[in-house]
């Protein structure tokens, strides 16, 4: 691992020397040149400091870091993206240099030795424009790591079903997923998001996994806060891949197992009814609907502990069913082919990769190249899947374009 990091840092250092030598020539003003040197130098210092932290293992869980550490790692990632844009510009500049060199030779040999060709000003213009364009995602990421990660958005969805019992017509559900409490660095901002959830006055609150990043203790500072979320018909949850602690090295299997048991206890104390491959039936005015929960089921390397058939044992096949399943791939692989009809499946997991563009009529994120169902509502015949974009964040400590989500789903009976 350390060897790979050192190789990567060496390549990055060569890239930095190349970019620095290229871009300092794009500024005619000494003040701008000096500003660029300081900016790039301090950015390099921040980047390599982060790599030193990883190599020396000052903190083997960067997603559990303080606000300063989150900003540090987030800025480093944003700077790497800036470098990628700068590299494309510098490469184009070098191509123009080659064209210029060849052009001069052609002019001297075939036309006149006194004829001059100079693309210098054009190269400088291209470099400045390229730097400006590369700065756009960089500035977006700076916003993402300072404000965007707590820019909670409420998404409203209304769905109609013929088989929804009349007693549950108008049922109001809040769906939350991927809290990742170990990543938070501002309690007040998280509390603001929780207050937004409570303001929805939902009949039912459903959480679809990844309460923590790895360790159960990550949720302890937020237990009272999350425990304040109440709903008349209950708060139900299921597990995500991170809840099992599979992304951390444990001293023993017993320690890992105890961590999961501690997480079960925390969820119970918060008032979350954890549905691990089981069903809870809600009854109102003599009519019923089923809340089905499975453990995580995803394509390798993610755990495949979810057992839908086990969760459905003893249930009435005619009941309207809502399934909590963390990973949306489970819907295509196991839910749709199942003999029992699952009317609505709620998932999360993808986070929309915390980066993308969502405007009316257009939705894009790199996540779409990994997951067939990555954000929002999907339909197959009379079955629906909703993929929540996540309440928290992981890895990159920010969000750009794909904002943290609180989903409000209203179920209506179709005539």
């Amino acid at each position: 691992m350390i060897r790979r990091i050192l190789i990567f840092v060496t390549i990055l250092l060569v890239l930095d020397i190349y970019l620095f030598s290229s871009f300092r020539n794009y500024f005619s003003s000494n003040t701008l040149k000096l500003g660029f040197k300081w900016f790039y130098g301090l950015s390099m210092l921040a980047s390599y400091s982060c790599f030193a932290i990883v190599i020396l293992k000052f903190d083997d869980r960067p997603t559990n870091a303080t606000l300063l550490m989150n900003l540090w790692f987030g800025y480093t990632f944003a700077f790497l993206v800036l470098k990628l844009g700068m590299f494309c510009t510098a490469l184009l500049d070098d191509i123009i240099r080659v064209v210029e060199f060849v052009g001069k030779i052609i002019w001297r040999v075939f036309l006149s030795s006194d004829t001059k060709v100079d693309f210098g000003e054009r190269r400088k213009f291209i470099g400045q424009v390229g730097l400006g364009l590369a700065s756009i995602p960089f500035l977006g990421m700076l916003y993402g790591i300072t404000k965007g990660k707590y820019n909670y958005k409420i998404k409203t969805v209304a769905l109609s079903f013929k088989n929804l019992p009349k007693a549950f017509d108008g049922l109001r559900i809040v769906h939350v997923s991927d809290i990742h409490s170990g990543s938070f660095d501002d309690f007040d901002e998280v509390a603001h998001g929780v207050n937004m959830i409570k303001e929805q006055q939902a009949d039912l609150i459903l959480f679809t996994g990844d309460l923590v990043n790895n360790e159960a203790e990550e949720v302890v500072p937020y237990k009272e806060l999350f425990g304040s979320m109440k709903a008349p018909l209950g708060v139900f949850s299921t597990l995500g891949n991170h809840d099992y602690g599979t992304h951390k090295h444990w001293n023993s299997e017993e320690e890992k197992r105890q961590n999961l048991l501690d997480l079960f206890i925390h969820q119970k104390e918060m008032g979350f009814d954890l549905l691990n491959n089981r069903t809870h039936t809600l009854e109102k005015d003599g009519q019923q609907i089923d809340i089905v929960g499975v453990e995580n089921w995803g394509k390798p390397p993610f755990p495949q502990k979810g057992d839908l058939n086990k969760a459905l044992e003893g249930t009435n096949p005619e009941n309207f069913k809502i399934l909590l399943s963390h990973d949306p791939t489970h819907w295509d692989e196991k839910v749709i082919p199942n003999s029992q009809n699952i009317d609505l499946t709620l998932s999360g997991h993808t986070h929309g990769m915390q980066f993308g563009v969502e405007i009316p009529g257009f939705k894009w994120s790199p996540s779409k190249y990994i997951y067939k169902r990555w954000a929002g509502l999907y339909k197959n015949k009379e079955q629906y899947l909703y993929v929540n974009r996540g309440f928290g964040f992981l890895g990159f400590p920010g969000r750009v374009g794909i904002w943290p989500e609180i989903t409000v789903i209203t179920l209506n009976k179709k005539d």
Side-chain angles (χ1 to χ4, degrees):
M1 178 65 178
I2 293 179
R3 181 182 177 184
R4 291 177 182 177
I5 293 176
L6 289 174
I7 293 173
F8 176 72
V9 171
T10 301
I11 295 173
L12 198 60
L13 181 60
V14 173
L15 176 64
D16 279 325
I17 294 172
Y18 169 63
L19 293 178
F20 183 77
S21 61
S22 296
F23 274 81
R24 66 177 181 177
N25 297 319
Y26 295 151
F27 302 99
S28 55
S29 165
N30 289 331
T31 302
L32 290 176
K33 283 184 178 180
L34 182 62
F36 176 75
K37 288 179 182 179
W38 274 100
F39 166 76
Y40 205 92
L42 291 174
S43 297
M44 287 175 60
L45 178 63
S47 298
Y48 295 123
S49 297
C50 283
F51 291 127
I53 289 173
V54 173
I55 294 172
L56 299 176
K57 297 183 179 180
F58 290 157
D59 185 350
D60 62 352
R61 293 181 290 106
T63 51
N64 289 342
T66 61
L67 172 61
L68 178 61
M69 191 62 68
N70 267 345
L71 291 174
W72 199 346
F73 274 84
Y75 175 79
T76 298
F77 183 82
F79 187 53
L80 289 175
V81 173
L82 176 64
K83 287 181 183 180
L84 179 61
M86 292 173 66
F87 174 74
C88 294
T89 301
L91 185 62
L92 177 61
D93 182 33
D94 285 339
I95 292 174
I96 294 175
R97 286 175 188 271
V98 172
V99 172
E100 178 185 2
F101 177 75
V102 173
K104 285 181 178 180
I105 294 176
I106 292 174
W107 250 264
R108 288 173 181 173
V109 173
F110 296 101
L111 296 177
S112 169
S113 58
D114 296 329
T115 304
K116 294 183 179 180
V117 179
D118 186 7
F119 291 104
E121 289 301 316
R122 183 173 296 178
R123 291 203 317 270
K124 182 183 293 185
F125 174 75
I126 290 174
Q128 292 172 347
V129 171
L131 182 59
L133 292 176
S135 298
I136 294 174
F138 174 72
L139 294 174
M141 288 188 173
L142 289 186
Y143 174 81
I145 63 179
T146 53
K147 297 293 184 180
K149 60 189 175 184
Y150 296 121
N151 186 21
Y152 299 106
K153 299 296 183 182
I154 294 175
K155 301 282 187 178
T156 57
V157 181
L159 300 174
S160 297
F161 300 89
K162 288 183 178 180
N163 63 328
L164 180 71
K166 188 174 181 180
F168 293 92
D169 184 24
L171 181 70
R172 190 173 173 86
I173 300 169
V174 162
H175 173 209
V176 184
S177 191
D178 299 87
I179 286 176
H180 288 288
S181 52
S183 297
F184 292 140
D185 51 36
D186 191 322
F187 185 92
D188 291 338
E189 290 286 4
V190 179
H192 172 66
V194 171
N195 286 334
M196 289 176 66
I197 292 173
K198 293 191 288 188
E199 287 171 358
Q200 304 312 306
Q201 298 181 339
D203 301 303
L204 185 64
I205 297 177
L206 303 177
F207 172 65
T208 49
D210 277 1
L211 180 63
V212 298
N213 296 342
N214 288 299
E215 299 182 10
E217 67 179 22
E218 295 166 12
V219 77
V220 172
Y222 301 93
K223 281 178 65 175
E224 184 176 350
L225 178 62
F226 293 137
S228 68
M229 299 188 303
K230 305 294 182 184
L233 296 180
V235 180
F236 298 89
S237 66
T238 192
L239 296 176
N241 55 293
H242 279 270
D243 294 321
Y244 298 95
T246 54
H247 302 275
K248 172 185 170 63
H249 175 74
W250 300 91
N251 295 322
S252 66
E253 281 299 315
E254 175 58 29
E255 182 184 24
K256 181 179 178 181
R257 188 182 72 85
Q258 185 59 51
N259 178 72
L260 186 59
L261 294 176
D262 290 342
L263 185 66
F264 293 168
I265 294 172
H266 293 326
Q267 293 220 24
K268 184 176 181 180
E269 291 176 346
M270 291 191 305
F272 287 21
D273 190 346
L274 184 60
L275 302 178
N276 283 343
N277 298 325
R278 68 182 180 90
T279 295
H280 181 93
T281 300
L282 297 177
E283 186 167 335
K284 185 178 180 181
D285 298 337
Q287 297 179 318
Q288 297 178 336
I289 65 172
D290 290 334
I291 309 299
V292 185
V294 294
E295 294 192 56
N296 188 83
W297 192 101
K299 291 184 178 180
F302 298 117
Q304 294 188 340
K305 297 178 179 292
D307 190 335
L308 182 57
N309 290 328
K310 180 181 178 182
L312 293 171
E313 285 179 1
T315 62
N316 184 347
E318 301 301 320
N319 278 4
F320 182 92
K321 290 178 172 59
I322 301 173
L323 172 65
L324 311 184
S325 179
H326 178 71
D327 193 318
T329 57
H330 187 232
W331 193 61
D332 287 291
E333 298 290 333
K334 297 292 183 180
V335 178
I336 293 177
N338 195 274
S339 58
Q340 282 209 47
N341 183 70
I342 305 295
D343 301 279
L344 173 62
T345 299
L346 302 179
S347 299
H349 182 62
T350 71
H351 300 203
M353 287 191 75
Q354 299 169 207
F355 178 84
V357 178
E358 287 194 275
I359 57 177
F362 181 75
K363 182 174 71 174
W364 177 88
S365 163
S367 186
K368 69 177 294 183
Y369 304 114
I370 303 174
Y371 294 97
K372 183 179 179 181
R373 327 282 184 177
W374 60 275
L377 186 67
Y378 301 89
K379 184 180 181 182
N380 179 71
K381 297 180 181 178
E382 297 303 314
Q383 293 178 290
Y384 287 93
L385 165 71
Y386 191 89
V387 183
N388 183 284
R389 294 158 180 82
F391 184 86
F393 52 91
L394 181 71
F396 173 62
R399 283 180 176 265
V400 182
I402 306 294
W403 311 118
E405 177 179 355
I406 299 164
T407 314
V408 180
I409 302 173
T410 302
L411 303 186
N412 299 307
K413 183 171 179 57
K414 185 187 296 184
D415 295 330

